[in-house]
Amino acid sequence: MALPTNMASSPEAEVSLMGMITSTLNEAVWFAAGFLLFRLALRCGVLPAGIGPAWLMGKPVKAEKLGKGGKSDAAKPCPLSKSMLADSGAGKEAAVLATWRQAASADTALQPAALEAAATALVRLEPENLSDELVGYLSKHPSLSRPGTVHGITTAIVRMGKVDLAQDFVDALSAAKFQSAVGAKTCDAVLSAFAARGQVAKVEELLERRADVAESWSAGANAAARGFLKGGRTAMAVRQLQDMRQRGIVIPPTTVGAFLDASCTSKDVPTLKCLEALDGIALPQESAASAMTNCFKHEDPITARGLVNHFSKQSQQMPFAVVEPLLKLVAKHDEQWALDLLQEMLDRGMFLSEGLCGLVLSRCGEARHLLLAEAVQKYLRDRKMTSLATYKTLMKVYATCDLLDRACNLYDDIVADGIAPDNVMCGCLVKFAVKAGREDLSEKLYKVVSDKPHGDVQNYMWLIRSAGQKRDVKRAVQLLRQLQASKSTALDAAVYNCVLDVCMNNGDTAEAEKIFEEMRKGKLVTLVTYNTLMKGYCAKGEFPRARRLIDAMKEVGLTPDSASFNCLISAAVSTGSFEQAWSVFEDMQRFGLEADSFTLSILMKVVRKARNRRDAQRALSVLDGSKIDVCKDEVLLNTVLDACIHVKDTRRLQQVLGCFERATLKPSVQNYGLIIKAYSSLKQTKKCWTVWQEMTVDRSMIPSDVALSCMLDAVVTGGQVEEAVALFQKWRKVIAPNTIIFSNLIKGFAAQGDAERAMDMYKELKAEGLQMNLVAYSTLIDAQARSGNTDKAAELLEQMEKDGIQPNTITFSSLVKGHCLKSDLDSALKVFESMVSKGLKADTVMYNTLLDGAVRGSRFSLCDQLLHEMAACNLEASNFTLSIVVKMWGKRKKLEMAFQAVRDTVSAGHLHLDSKLCTCLISACFHNNAPKRALEALAEMKTWTYCDGPDSGTYEQLVDQLCKAKLVGDAANVAQEAIAKSAGPNASIRPLNVALLRQLARCLRQHGQEQLWSTVEEQLRKAHLPMP
């Protein structure tokens, strides 16, 4: 009841209120005092122990549980929980179930962990009973029906991959009116697990249940998105994200971060696509930093640019954790971007550590980004943060850019900054000083460090090497003598070897032998000594003398190493002495030494140089038997590819390129050029484009003019001339066009028979101020000759000679071919005679051109004469020569002579026969109306050594001609053989042409052989090959 206003404000009321407060305080004080006295009496035993409740007597209060009827019972310690957990840990699931049922029947309250163990056992042994038993048990023990307990049980079921069981358990709890025990966290966990498994329909069903409550649907959708990401189903996650955004759901930072993290490893949705999906959403700093670090790791400036643009659109300022890896990345890929970024970091007051600056400097060296390197160095010097390490790195940058004079100038800065150069830096500076002609610095460095107690020998070695680079052998020997005079103890062998190397490199073998004799007497001779002498003798062409050093090594107890033998093999190969090279290689094997990567690289030169195919095959056999991974060594990869391309060894090329595709090698620009050339040799133009994309887009590398030329040649060879022109136009501003690049385009138009556009390229080349070369002129003349413009070709030949470029046999061969194509063999012979009169010797290509023209014109006496001349000139026949000879004997109706010519070549073993020759031989059989002989030829050619055997073209020729000869059964058998060869991962030929298969089916049906066609059709279907 409220007091009257006048009374509430009266003095009497105030006194009364103060009295009430004082009284209350007094009562509280007396109660506290009484309580303390009561406790003291209990402790002293004045009062009986059981007089008060447990909390009053200071005893621990036991946990209570609700029994049946809601009554509270004290919970007794539960040994059954302990037993279940122990059995579960030991994997005794049956024992866990037995104990679980014992506890359930005894109405024992178990610990939550024991319930999880029971759930695990039920999942493994009796999944059908899981929901009923667990829900039944929880209904008897309401105190355990808490969200935490239920979440633990559900998570245990999900962890075992039984998401459906987990959902059944949750649904059963809800049906038993235990909805309060199923928390949102549990529902989200199950939903996320369904998403991780990619069960989209189930995810949609569970989300539909939440549709009435926006907050619940939002949480579930986020859980689903994270589940999709966890399961690696990034594309599904993106669709979920898009759905959420359409509904206006706010995407939490955890989900955004999960998307960004997943995109770093996803092939379906890379980071750039992820950023598109996250457009308009702020990125969590930690995830953005992780994504940028991933860009740096994979050298991906394009994705990095996308991340920067995203920050810019959101008006977000990039934190240091994002900017740091970005600076590292662009330091190598985009100097101007890196300079701008560095300035932004300085404007924002960010601190760049010495380690970060050192790494940026190192990457500047790789990319030759001099301006950025100097900007970083200025930052370090302005803050007095320079160190020996940063100066070393900057020195490497200058060396990489061939700015040795500026590298030398760093010495003054180093001294000014109070930094003492170590031995390594001094050695580099001396080397740079010599190359840059800075003798003053060489001497200065020597004077500076000569007082060091342990550095004088190394200093002398620097000066000895400097003398060697100046080709001053006398100075090198003088330095050796000075060092001997200044040292009380014997010199190390390394000093003598250094002087010996100077003598041998500069051809002074007499002085070298004096030094060697001095070393021998002082017992200072080492393996390096002998290898140095060997290298010098080989360089002077004294191979026998160099080889005798192997025996000399053995006499003094030294064992030659791979370097010793590689030096000898290289010298022999360089002079074309392959027998000596193989002899040394056999010695190497007798010493128990295997061919290393250097040995293989040298032997690949044999493949390139050998006129005898057996030498080339032997070298390639060494490669086959080696355990060295070709794709781990850039130089070896280049030499192997080059060798295989040269001998047109498609089988090994496919093996090497397959190895490359599986390898982790990051090729250089030079590697990429040869890889493109290799794929082009295999007529895999699509792969050439893939490699080009990897080099120029994925790795943002700038191709060299050689790499661009290889790519243009590959595209042109693949018949994509317009694409080649487009590629040329795209890159001509970056890579200055040269004559070889224009030659490739001229060749492309020539191959298409477009002589006019070939001439346009010639005019454009002239407009660029470039000089034509032999290849360009020969290609242009070939284009005109192929088009029948022999008069124009002759004019170009005349212009070529006016420009001071002497035509070769290839040039004349193009003119000869032009006349032959016009069936003007007499004019072709006149060109041939003109070539011979200029002192040029006809080669195999020239004779092939004339021979082909003679066969086309059925001038067989001329054919015989040309073949006789080829033999007299010791010209080796090529596959094309042999093909023409086969055609000739076929037209002359002397089929056995055609076979004999091929057999003679196989027996000689000088030539590796290609599949085109096989097809030509089959064609000759049908030309002579001998289809059965063609079938015999097919069987015979598969037995020939050094032969590629029949390819799909051969089989297609056989099937087609056998159908025309009405030998449909044989045609079907040949087709089945071809299908078997083109099926599976180890297919050796391409699948048969669909049009040919359609023709075969029609012929078989016309001759009542439907069953045969059914067999062929079934074989095609099982092999998953194209059907007609």
Side-chain angles (χ1 to χ4, degrees), residues 787-808:
S787 299
N789 301 329
T790 49
D791 292 339
K792 185 64 178 177
E795 288 177 20
L796 286 168
L797 179 63
E798 187 179 343
Q799 182 62 46
M800 178 181 182
E801 292 176 324
K802 285 181 181 177
D803 288 346
I805 300 170
Q806 293 303 314
N808 62 7

Side-chain angles (χ1 to χ4, degrees), residues 189-254:
V190 176
L191 182 58
S192 180
F194 276 121
R197 294 173 57 156
Q199 294 182 237
V200 179
K202 193 67 179 177
V203 170
E204 291 175 350
E205 177 194 330
L206 293 176
L207 285 175
E208 185 62 30
R209 295 183 189 180
R210 305 179 179 207
D212 296 337
V213 183
E215 186 178 345
S216 175
W217 191 95
S218 174
N222 275 292
R226 290 194 294 273
F228 284 132
L229 292 171
K230 186 177 179 181
R233 306 173 194 281
T234 318
M236 293 180 181
V238 168
R239 287 195 289 273
Q240 184 67 51
L241 176 71
Q242 291 168 343
D243 187 21
M244 291 161 66
R245 298 196 70 182
Q246 286 173 1
R247 292 172 179 250
I249 302 297
V250 176
I251 312 299
T254 51

Side-chain angles (χ1 to χ4, degrees), residues 241-271:
L241 176 71
Q242 291 168 343
D243 187 21
M244 291 161 66
R245 298 196 70 182
Q246 286 173 1
R247 292 172 179 250
I249 302 297
V250 176
I251 312 299
T254 51
T255 304
V256 176
F259 264 98
L260 206 53
D261 292 341
S263 71
C264 292
T265 55
S266 172
K267 291 183 178 179
D268 297 334
V269 185
T271 304

Side-chain angles (χ1 to χ4, degrees), residues 740-770:
I740 296 173
I741 289 173
F742 276 107
S743 296
N744 285 317
L745 296 174
I746 291 170
K747 183 177 79 171
F749 289 122
Q752 281 191 337
D754 194 342
E756 186 178 347
R757 292 189 70 183
M759 283 300 294
D760 289 342
M761 280 294 154
Y762 166 67
K763 293 170 184 175
E764 192 171 339
L765 181 150
K766 287 288 190 181
E768 288 280 347
L770 296 172

Side-chain angles (χ1 to χ4, degrees), residues 869-974:
E869 287 181 13
M870 282 186 73
C873 295
N874 291 321
L875 291 175
E876 290 187 2
S878 66
N879 272 287
F880 187 49
T881 313
L882 202 53
S883 295
I884 298 167
V885 169
V886 168
K887 288 178 186 176
M888 178 192 74
W889 290 122
K891 288 187 77 172
R892 294 169 82 167
K893 303 297 181 181
K894 294 182 179 181
L895 192 57
E896 281 308 313
M897 293 295 288
F899 274 90
Q900 192 58 48
V902 177
R903 287 171 186 150
D904 290 344
T905 304
V906 171
S907 300
H910 297 312
L911 183 65
H912 187 97
L913 306 184
D914 62 17
S915 298
K916 289 181 180 178
L917 176 64
C918 297
T919 306
C920 189
L921 196 57
I922 296 293
S923 181
C925 291
F926 284 108
H927 185 75
N928 284 266
N929 197 27
K932 290 295 183 181
R933 189 71 183 88
L935 290 169
E936 292 171 7
L938 177 67
E940 182 180 350
M941 64 183 60
K942 287 186 283 188
T943 66
W944 293 337
T945 54
Y946 304 125
C947 178
D948 291 336
D951 63 1
S952 53
T954 314
Y955 283 106
E956 286 171 353
Q957 174 87 342
L958 260 170
V959 173
D960 176 52
Q961 294 297 328
L962 287 169
C963 284
K964 291 176 181 177
K966 299 182 180 180
L967 297 174
V968 292
D970 291 326
N973 292 336
V974 171

Side-chain angles (χ1 to χ4, degrees), residues 77 111 127 209 226 262 344 466 522 529 535 663 701 737 762 793 816 863 914 960 979 1015 1020:
Q111 296 173 1
R209 295 183 189 180
R226 290 194 294 273
E344 180 188 336
S466 300
T529 309
K535 183 177 70 172
M701 297 173 77
Y762 166 67
V816 168
C863 292
D914 62 17
D960 176 52
I979 292 166
T1015 305
L1020 285 167

